[in-house]
Amino acid sequence: MKTFEYIVESLDGDYANLRRTDEESGECKLVARALLPPETGEGTRLKYELLQYRIME
């Protein structure tokens, strides 16, 4: 299973715009905030692995 790293570009109500750190495309992925850790804010670095988002240390 693959692992992806994201950074939270912006928060918009119940959704967050995530940008992959390993791609140059610049496109954001819209993700429901309910799927993210509660302490997620703008600029937070996330790791997506095994169908879960975790905050990177």
Side-chain angles (χ1 to χ4, degrees), residues 2 5 12 23 25 28 38 44-45 49 52 54-55:
K2 292 192 177 200
E5 293 181 9
D12 185 19
E23 286 186 345
S25 69
C28 287
T44 302
R45 296 179 63 84
E49 184 174 42
Q52 290 184 334
R54 293 182 299 139
I55 293 178

Side-chain angles (χ1 to χ4, degrees), residues 39 44-47 54-57:
E39 55 275 1
T44 302
R45 296 179 63 84
L46 301 169
K47 179 181 276 190
R54 293 182 299 139
I55 293 178
M56 294 176 60
E57 300 292 324

Side-chain angles (χ1 to χ4, degrees), residues 5-56:
E5 293 181 9
Y6 293 95
I7 188 164
V8 179
E9 287 291 317
S10 63
L11 300 174
D12 185 19
D14 291 335
Y15 296 92
N17 290 300
L18 307 182
R19 181 179 47 83
R20 285 215 4 218
T21 59
D22 63 337
E23 286 186 345
E24 302 273 333
S25 69
E27 292 184 30
C28 287
K29 176 180 180 179
L30 191 64
V31 176
R33 289 180 68 181
L35 299 174
L36 304 176
E39 55 275 1
T40 300
E42 290 184 8
T44 302
R45 296 179 63 84
L46 301 169
K47 179 181 276 190
Y48 181 74
E49 184 174 42
L50 299 174
L51 303 175
Q52 290 184 334
Y53 290 95
R54 293 182 299 139
I55 293 178
M56 294 176 60

